[in-house]
């Protein structure tokens, strides 16, 4: 019989666990290869911390959405009510990097009672996300209606009832609640025409089988049951337009939509998981949440030990997310002009799915860029800690379509932006924005607009709600930042800051032009002046 070769001592060493292992957790002991009770307890504590921190980071988009809905409800804004900023959003409303440049309208949609129809007004730019902030649709200018307005039908998970033959843009989201966020634009410097168009055109109503979208032939041959009793008057009534939703004025309204940074974060995560169908959540995120006691059908009742772990995990998770947001590593690809520049946008590296970089748009058409199939977790955290909503339109390099953003958290010398100091930003001539451009200042703590006596912390090419910025003699535009306006600086070229508070800035280009995408136009860095 042939004798088999022996396993080498080195190979045995690589697969063996020593009786004593020194780690950052302390010395772990495995007599006879089995962990002691003290080691097992220490490892399980560590594992719970890992799952808790991972849950904080991976579930951030969903908890952010749930926090926003709770903020709406606490302010008396119910599902299907529309929060409308007819005079633009101000710092009173805490929304992650919201702006004071457009007429916002926002509503939460409830599909728990069946399919829902939304009539979208024309000339609006919208996104529709599910309750985990996954993209569903882009009603409006970037969507299939191309800004003409249209009827969008949202079918809840598990629905098997009748649907119309046509007439709607039909979507099947994974969650039973949705967020519709919309923007409309000034007309001749006035928000009123857009506001009236939204009030006239936006409708939210239940889908009724057998009404609009269903023919007599379908009813007779397909078995779609119309409401009873069925008469000629009923047929005519099917064409009756529903009434408007309840509009709630948002300008000047205090609403908090920002997720918590303490252990109550996990309570919101539990509420969200229990509110939604099991299949609504990605299994790997569900697994991390379940490992810390958050699972549908299971009460979330952490004991004192686990509550202590969750408190620390929230602090570590928040610190991690804030670090990824404020100081993304150059290797991530978020630095739009290279590592030497402070201007960043992680979406332009990760794409809307945080896995596939945006395609190249060339004379030959759309050319997809390769993906290695790995989720860019750090860039995903970067976006959800700073932003609201997601859509392919946020990253599409299409000239004249949508909007593009650049963030800066530090000055040219990579120092944090201090509300007690003076800075300036020079934008070269011909800012590549067909519609308009703006610069907005945000509070580092709330990631919402900075609150100062100036009220609207923005400067830009529009002359509402603050005066338009004035170009210099050479065509460039200089924006100044500081607690007081420098002598000789026009009002529209200065954004007020607050001593003792850190801030960051977002440069927005609406309907961006090719020089932005090919980087032949580049903003200056933020320079300290004192």
């Amino acid at each position: 019989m042939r004798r088999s070769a022996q396993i080498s001592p080195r190979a045995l060493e690589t697969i063996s666990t020593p009786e004593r292992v020194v780690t950052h957790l302390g010395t772990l002991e495995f007599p006879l290869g089995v962990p002691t009770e003290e080691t097992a307890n220490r490892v399980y504590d560590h594992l719970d911390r890992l799952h808790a921190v991972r849950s904080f980071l991976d579930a951030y988009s969903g908890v952010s959405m749930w926090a926003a809905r709770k903020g709406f409800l606490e302010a008396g804004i119910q599902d299907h009510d529309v929060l409308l900023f007819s005079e633009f959003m101000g710092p009173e409303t805490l929304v992650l990097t919201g702006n004071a440049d457009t007429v916002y309208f926002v509503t939460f949609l409830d599909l728990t009672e069946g399919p829902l129809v939304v009539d979208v007004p024309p000339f609006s730019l919208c996104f529709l996300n599910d309750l985990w902030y996954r993209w569903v649709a882009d009603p409006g200018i970037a969507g299939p209606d191309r800004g003409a307005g249209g009827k969008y039908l949202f079918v809840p998970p598990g629905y098997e009832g009748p649907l119309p033959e046509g007439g709607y843009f039909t979507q099947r989201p994974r969650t039973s609640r949705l967020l519709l966020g919309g923007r409309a634009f000034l007309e001749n410097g006035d928000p009123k025409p857009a506001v009236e168009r939204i009030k006239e055109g936006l409708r939210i109503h239940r889908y009724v089988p057998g009404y609009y979208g269903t023919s007599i032939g379908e009813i007779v041959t397909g078995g779609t049951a119309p409401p009873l009793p069925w008469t000629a008057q009923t047929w005519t009534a099917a064409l009756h337009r529903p009434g408007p939703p309840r509009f709630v004025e948002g300008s000047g309204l205090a609403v908090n939509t920002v997720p918590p940074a303490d252990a109550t974060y996990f309570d919101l995560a539990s509420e969200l998981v229990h509110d939604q169908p099991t299949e609504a959540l990605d299994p790997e995120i569900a697994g991390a949440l379940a490992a810390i006691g958050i699972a549908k059908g299971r009460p979330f009742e952490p004991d004192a030990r686990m509550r202590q772990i969750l408190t620390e995990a929230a602090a570590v998770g928040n610190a991690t997310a804030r670090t990824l947001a404020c100081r993304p590593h150059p290797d991530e690809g978020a630095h739009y002009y290279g590592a030497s520049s402070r201007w960043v946008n992680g979406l332009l590296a990760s794409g809307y799915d945080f896995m596939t970089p945006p395609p190249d748009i060339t004379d030959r058409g759309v050319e997809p860029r390769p993906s290695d199939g790995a989720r860019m977790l750090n860039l995903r955290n970067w976006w959800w800690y700073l932003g609201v909503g997601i859509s392919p339109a946020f990253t599409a390099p299409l000239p004249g379509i949508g909007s593009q953003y650049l963030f800066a958290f530090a000055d040219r010398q990579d120092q944090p932006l201090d509300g007690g100091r003076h800075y300036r930003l020079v934008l070269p001539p011909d800012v590549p924005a067909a519609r308009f451009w703006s610069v907005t200042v945000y509070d580092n703590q709330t990631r919402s607009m900075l609150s100062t006596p100036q009220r609207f912390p923005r400067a830009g090419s529009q002359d509402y709600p603050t005066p338009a910025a004035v170009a210099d003699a050479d065509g460039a535009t200089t924006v100044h930042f500081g607690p007081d306006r420098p002598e000789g600086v026009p009002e529209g070229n200065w954004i007020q800051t607050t001593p003792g508070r850190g801030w960051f800035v977002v440069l927005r280009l609406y309907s961006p032009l090719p020089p932005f995408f090919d980087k032949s136009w580049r903003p200056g860095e933020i320079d300290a002046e004192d």
Side-chain angles (χ1 to χ4, degrees):
M1 177 180 293
R2 183 178 179 182
R3 184 177 181 183
S4 61
Q6 291 187 337
I7 305 298
S8 71
R10 173 57 184 159
L12 290 173
E13 181 181 352
T14 63
I15 65 175
S16 299
T17 301
E19 289 199 354
R20 293 172 59 84
V21 181
V22 179
T23 72
H24 74 279
L25 302 179
T27 299
L28 306 179
E29 298 184 347
F30 299 88
L32 300 177
V34 178
T36 63
E37 181 177 359
E38 192 277 336
T39 289
N41 289 338
R42 193 180 302 179
V43 169
Y44 274 116
D45 282 351
H46 175 62
L47 190 60
D48 285 339
R49 291 188 180 93
L50 285 178
H51 288 314
V53 172
R54 191 74 265 166
S55 295
F56 187 99
L57 295 173
D58 288 351
Y60 204 90
S61 61
V63 175
S64 181
M65 177 74 87
W66 193 252
R69 182 169 179 265
K70 286 178 70 77
F72 271 45
L73 295 175
E74 290 169 0
I77 308 164
Q78 303 300 314
D79 293 343
H80 301 179
D81 289 347
V82 179
L83 187 60
L84 176 62
F85 294 86
S86 61
E87 296 181 356
F88 287 8
M89 183 185 293
E92 304 89 354
T93 307
L94 298 186
V95 173
L96 297 176
T97 54
N99 69 61
D101 300 316
T102 59
V103 176
Y104 275 118
F105 56 99
V106 186
T107 184
F108 282 89
L109 306 177
D110 180 3
L111 310 185
T112 58
E113 296 181 11
L116 195 71
V117 177
V118 178
D119 295 355
V120 175
F123 306 117
S124 55
L125 184 63
C126 308
F127 66 86
L128 209 300
N129 285 179
D130 74 9
L131 218 58
W132 283 91
Y133 264 131
R134 290 177 295 230
W135 176 63
V136 175
D138 288 320
I141 294 171
D145 67 276
R146 288 296 194 270
K151 294 180 179 295
Y152 286 76
L153 175 63
F154 300 101
V155 182
Y159 177 80
E160 297 180 354
L163 291 173
E165 299 171 72
Y168 298 90
F169 300 108
T170 301
Q171 306 290 335
R172 289 182 174 270
R174 292 171 60 182
T175 62
S176 60
R177 303 185 196 276
L178 306 171
L179 173 72
L180 170 64
R183 292 168 288 173
F185 303 100
L186 296 174
E187 295 181 18
N188 297 318
D190 186 359
K192 292 185 180 63
V195 170
E196 291 306 312
R197 190 163 54 247
I198 294 166
K199 290 183 175 180
E200 174 61 28
L202 183 60
R203 297 292 185 269
I204 302 170
H205 51 100
R206 294 290 168 196
Y207 168 68
V208 180
Y211 271 19
Y212 175 85
T214 303
S215 67
I216 289 286
E218 171 65 17
I219 292 171
V220 174
T221 64
T224 298
L228 296 176
W230 184 250
T231 66
Q233 287 77 18
T234 306
W235 183 262
T236 303
L239 301 178
H240 176 70
R241 191 156 185 260
R246 173 177 174 251
F247 288 98
V248 177
E249 179 54 57
S251 298
L253 183 64
V255 182
N256 178 22
T257 70
V258 179
D262 60 13
T264 61
Y265 175 97
F266 297 102
D267 297 308
L268 266 65
S270 178
E271 293 174 14
L272 171 59
V273 168
H274 283 86
D275 181 77
Q276 289 301 297
T278 303
E279 61 271 18
L281 183 54
D282 293 333
E284 63 271 21
I285 299 178
L289 289 168
I292 60 173
I294 298 175
K296 193 171 179 68
R298 183 195 309 175
F300 179 51
E301 299 173 343
D303 57 19
R305 166 190 162 276
M306 195 64 190
R307 181 60 72 177
Q308 182 178 2
I309 287 174
L310 295 177
T311 297
E312 180 185 0
V316 173
N318 181 67
T320 303
R322 180 167 287 269
T323 298
L324 294 173
C326 297
R327 293 186 177 275
H329 198 279
D331 290 348
E332 300 282 354
H335 291 73
Y336 192 60
Y337 301 103
S340 63
S341 174
R342 307 280 76 80
W343 293 108
V344 299
N345 186 325
L347 290 183
L348 299 179
S350 70
Y352 82 97
D353 60 357
F354 308 103
M355 190 165 62
T356 308
D360 293 319
I361 309 297
T362 71
D363 294 339
R364 299 178 298 278
V366 178
E367 298 182 353
R369 295 169 64 190
S371 169
D372 61 9
R375 193 81 66 190
M376 301 179 193
L377 298 178
N378 290 348
L379 293 184
R380 183 172 70 176
N381 290 134
W382 178 90
W383 176 248
W384 290 125
Y385 198 72
L386 297 173
V388 169
I390 197 66
S391 162
F394 289 14
T395 64
L398 288 170
I401 302 296
S403 53
Q404 291 293 338
Y405 315 127
L406 292 175
F407 296 67
F409 294 86
D411 65 13
R412 184 187 298 272
Q413 305 304 320
D414 201 23
Q415 296 301 306
L417 300 171
D418 184 342
R421 300 185 65 187
H422 289 81
Y423 301 84
R424 68 172 181 169
L425 164 66
V426 177
L427 302 176
D430 302 319
V431 178
R435 191 180 289 274
F436 67 89
W437 64 266
S438 72
V439 173
T440 307
V441 165
Y442 296 93
D443 187 312
N444 278 349
Q445 294 299 331
T446 65
R447 290 97 75 201
S448 304
M449 282 185 279
L450 184 67
S451 180
T452 70
Q454 189 183 41
R455 189 179 179 200
F456 294 108
R458 50 87 60 188
S461 57
Q462 294 188 144
D463 58 4
Y464 183 95
T466 60
V470 178
D472 303 328
D474 63 357
T477 303
T478 303
V479 179
H480 296 259
F481 310 88
D484 48 64
R485 177 155 53 114
E487 184 176 353
V489 170
E491 180 182 351
N493 292 61
W494 167 64
I495 304 177
Q496 188 172 24
T497 59
T498 301
R501 295 202 72 83
W503 54 275
F504 66 96
V505 66
V506 175
L507 169 64
R508 286 180 168 84
L509 306 176
Y510 281 85
S511 298
L513 299 174
F516 170 77
F517 296 110
D518 65 23
K519 302 180 185 178
S520 59
W521 182 91
R522 173 176 172 170
E525 301 294 319
I526 298 175
D527 289 303
E529 294 192 292
D530 54 10

